[in-house]
Amino acid sequence: MRERMGSWRRRHVLAGLLGSTAMLSAPAILRAAPSGKPVRVGGTLSLTGFLAQTAVIHKIASEIMVEEINSRDGFLGRPVEYVLLDDQSKPDVARSLYEKLITVDKVDLIQGPYATAPILAAMGVAQRYGKVIVQSSMGIPKLQTYDMAFPATPFGPEPDKSYPNVILDAMASLPAPPKNMVILTSKFPSAQFMAQGMKVEAEKRGVKVPLYLEYEAGNRDFGAIAARVKEANADFLWVGSLGLESNQILEALKKLEYTPKGSFHLYPAPGPLALSPDGNLAWSSTFLEPDEPFMSRPGVAKIAAAYKERATKANLPYPLIDAQAAGMVSEWQILEQGVNGAKSLDDKQIAAFLKKNVVNTIYGPLKFDGLYNHGAPAQLIRQVQNKEWKVVWPREFAAPGVKLLP
Amino acid sequence: MPSATLLGQALISGVLAGGMYGLLALGLSLSWGLLRLVNLSHFALAFLAAYLTYELGTTYHVAPWWSVLIIVPSMFAIGLAQHWVFVRFKVNELGSLLITFSFAVILEVGIQLYWTADYRRFETHYATWSIKAGPFYIPVLELILCLVAGVLAWGTWLWLRKTYVGKALRASAEDADIAAAYGVDHRKLAYLLSGIGAAYAGVAGTFIALIATLAPAQIWAWLGVVFAVVIIGRLGNPLGALAAGMLIGASESIAMAVFSPAWAPVVSFSVLIAILLWDPEWS
């Protein structure tokens, strides 16, 4: 009896073990892992040269997304392979490499490079070969005239008009709304484009611009510029900066014992500005921050965690996901939904699908039915509060308890 | 019309910014003028020193005035090694341009591999200190930089003019064969000068870490203006390099204050062309 009982127990324990193993491994079995010949997606990033500091962010985001897509169903059940080349931050190199990717490497699809000039170069090649190109960083949407080019970031078709008004709305909400502003901008094309728009829209709404200055990208000394900003002593400082230029400008102002009453920075290096003692309460542009309500969007928390892990490992000084990394995530999400939605790798069919359908991205639902294939703009304002970026405007995108501080 | 305060402040900023041009030009001017070697890697060495200052400061909390004690001898040693390559492969003036350009590119890639391409900023509490003099503000770090550049330029000028080694170096630059006939060992002196030039890059790098933004591609940001400074200041003339640096810095800054900041890059080359056409006695 005891023997039979022992045998019964063993059988049940074994059955239980087998059952548990089967249950644990079930998701992997049930999920149809992509198989067959990989779908090759080619693209370039500025892994070297003056844009390299941003390319590393896009590279990490791409690696995460390729793994993510392959952990699902790949493209049409086939694994995705990312063929990444270095365009050295040079549009002419980008042009040649896209030509090579399409004609020599014979990739199935292409993914856009980073920054307006390389994108324009790549777009010309894409147009010649009838390829869909998705990009996330063309700051001047009106230059995207190719009908199979799609923006992954919700700039909207006229950010030089829409975004200044978001800033002006936020300014108007302050207890003492600024009556005038100094506009200081890099001559980097997308920054200059936004600065000119800011000047026009500010004057339209009665905010005077007593000083408008442009400096060369890569300007080394901000001493004289700071002296002019101080002398103008406006209620608000709008800076069309790139990278650490914002830190340099604020430091140069501090050396003159001058702190602007309020300041906005277009494309700053997010970490250094947030951590700088001069950056407190600075405003900047964004589309997403690792905070609510964005983290509640499906899959965002997982991607943000993976990004933080890899960016920390890659020794990036600001390892948090933000609009920059999210742009590349969105590019892959658009391509994935475009291919699987069209059920084809044919570029024309993918483009037709994208134009007719809403695509869910890390930025929320995106449409491509407007001017230059853009949907509605979704620019937000973030502000440095206690050394962290917080989305503060429009109010509905601010996390609970967070508000724009004067 | 800009106010007198604005012009005065712009002049101060420009002269102090010119101190950095002069400091960077110092080593380059010496190697080009006295060794006939155009060392493009000078900028990469300065940035390597800047990154080392940043690393020592942020990771090991070593103050820059202590890290300079490690960095400058290291750069001197790199300068010696670099010169060994020049001697070993019998590199001439044009060849040095190509070899040092390659060396600079390799260093840029190395810096990018270790520190990534992301912007780095060595934040210090004293970065924004200023002295108030009437209506003007004098940034302390830039002032120290200028004083250091002045001491190095003046010391090097005296060394070249007053000491046997300095005179021998100048004689070798004029005519190496005749100098050798008088017992000057040009080869040993060239090693010494190479080391000193690289050490000056180390000093410049320490200040770059404190006042500028670090990114590997920034290595090339100073190239054009510093070359203009070296030529305006006359090759191999340390005081000329410093004076030219300050002239260019002040001109750029006044242009930013009076016209548009976007005019600044045009100024250095306009001054260079004007001086080359004018060809004054002192240049």
Side-chain angles (χ1 to χ4, degrees), chain B residues 229-256:
Chain B
V229 165
V230 168
I231 295 166
I232 293 170
R234 285 247 165 186
L235 303 184
N237 182 348
L239 284 178
L242 185 61
M246 288 177 169
L247 172 71
I248 296 281
S251 311
E252 283 183 345
S253 199
I254 293 291
M256 284 196 212

Side-chain angles (χ1 to χ4, degrees), chain A residues 354-373:
Chain A
L354 291 176
K355 282 187 184 183
K356 282 185 201 147
N357 292 279
V358 175
V359 173
N360 289 310
T361 72
I362 192 165
Y363 293 130
L366 290 188
K367 288 166 83 176
F368 310 101
D369 54 354
L371 202 57
Y372 318 119
N373 282 349

Side-chain angles (χ1 to χ4, degrees), chain A residues 25-34 68-73:
Chain A
S25 53
I29 293 166
L30 294 175
R31 199 189 302 129
E68 180 92 3
I69 291 166
N70 283 336
S71 75
R72 291 194 282 264
D73 197 27

Side-chain angles (χ1 to χ4, degrees), chain A residues 101-173:
Chain A
L101 283 165
I102 295 168
T103 60
V104 180
D105 298 332
K106 300 204 184 298
V107 295
D108 300 288
L109 300 162
I110 58 169
Q111 195 66 287
Y114 173 73
T116 302
I119 290 169
L120 280 174
M123 201 168 71
V125 181
Q127 188 162 14
R128 198 158 56 246
Y129 293 99
K131 305 295 290 181
V132 161
I133 183 165
V134 186
Q135 55 76 23
S136 61
S137 50
M138 185 183 270
I140 310 175
K142 66 182 176 189
L143 299 177
Q144 188 186 277
T145 50
Y146 173 42
D147 68 343
M148 293 214 291
F150 296 91
T153 309
F155 280 111
E158 294 178 312
D160 56 325
K161 290 184 182 142
S162 55
Y163 200 26
N165 279 296
V166 177
I167 298 167
L168 290 162
D169 288 345
M171 281 166 58
S173 78

Side-chain angles (χ1 to χ4, degrees), chain A residues 64-258:
Chain A
I64 291 169
M65 286 312 294
V66 170
E67 282 177 25
E68 180 92 3
I69 291 166
N70 283 336
S71 75
R72 291 194 282 264
D73 197 27
F75 283 180
L76 305 173
R78 288 163 58 186
V80 174
E81 183 189 327
Y82 185 33
V83 183
L84 175 64
L85 302 175
D86 176 16
D87 61 37
Q88 300 165 30
S89 308
K90 294 172 187 163
D92 52 319
V93 176
R95 188 182 298 115
S96 306
L97 291 179
Y98 274 90
E99 191 91 39
K100 177 183 177 289
L101 283 165
I102 295 168
T103 60
V104 180
D105 298 332
K106 300 204 184 298
V107 295
D108 300 288
L109 300 162
I110 58 169
Q111 195 66 287
Y114 173 73
T116 302
I119 290 169
L120 280 174
M123 201 168 71
V125 181
Q127 188 162 14
R128 198 158 56 246
Y129 293 99
K131 305 295 290 181
V132 161
I133 183 165
V134 186
Q135 55 76 23
S136 61
S137 50
M138 185 183 270
I140 310 175
K142 66 182 176 189
L143 299 177
Q144 188 186 277
T145 50
Y146 173 42
D147 68 343
M148 293 214 291
F150 296 91
T153 309
F155 280 111
E158 294 178 312
D160 56 325
K161 290 184 182 142
S162 55
Y163 200 26
N165 279 296
V166 177
I167 298 167
L168 290 162
D169 288 345
M171 281 166 58
S173 78
L174 292 171
K179 291 187 174 61
N180 55 34
M181 65 160 71
V182 165
I183 295 179
L184 173 61
T185 184
S186 161
K187 283 182 80 178
F188 194 80
S190 48
Q192 195 184 31
F193 166 73
M194 292 294 281
Q196 285 163 351
M198 187 72 229
K199 185 171 185 288
V200 171
E201 296 304 314
E203 285 170 344
K204 265 190 206 168
R205 288 179 57 165
V207 177
K208 292 196 172 96
V209 182
L211 183 65
Y212 176 92
L213 290 177
E214 292 179 349
Y215 58 84
E216 282 297 332
N219 185 63
R220 289 174 296 269
D221 177 37
F222 287 94
I225 296 171
R228 289 185 75 171
V229 172
K230 184 185 176 182
E231 192 166 80
N233 192 25
D235 295 339
F236 199 79
L237 171 64
W238 189 99
V239 189
S241 53
L242 287 107
L244 278 169
E245 286 169 358
S246 285
N247 290 57
Q248 290 176 292
I249 290 162
L250 292 174
E251 272 180 22
L253 288 168
K254 198 171 181 188
K255 284 175 185 173
L256 305 180
E257 291 185 5
Y258 179 76

Side-chain angles (χ1 to χ4, degrees), chain A residues 47 52-53 187 213-214 216 219-221 223-225 227-228 230-231 243-244 248 251 255-257 314-315 317, chain B residues 3 6 9 13 21 112 116-121 127 130 137 142 213 221-222 225 253 256-257 259-262 265:
Chain A
L47 299 174
Q53 64 276 358
K187 283 182 80 178
L213 290 177
E214 292 179 349
E216 282 297 332
N219 185 63
R220 289 174 296 269
D221 177 37
I225 296 171
R228 289 185 75 171
K230 184 185 176 182
E231 192 166 80
L244 278 169
Q248 290 176 292
E251 272 180 22
K255 284 175 185 173
L256 305 180
E257 291 185 5
N315 200 22
Chain B
S3 68
L6 175 59
Q9 189 62 56
S13 294
Y21 297 163
Q112 186 166 320
T116 75
D118 218 329
Y119 288 119
R120 304 277 162 168
R121 186 88 175 112
S130 289
Y137 294 86
E142 283 86 341
T213 300
W222 307 78
V225 70
S253 199
M256 284 196 212
F259 307 110
S260 165

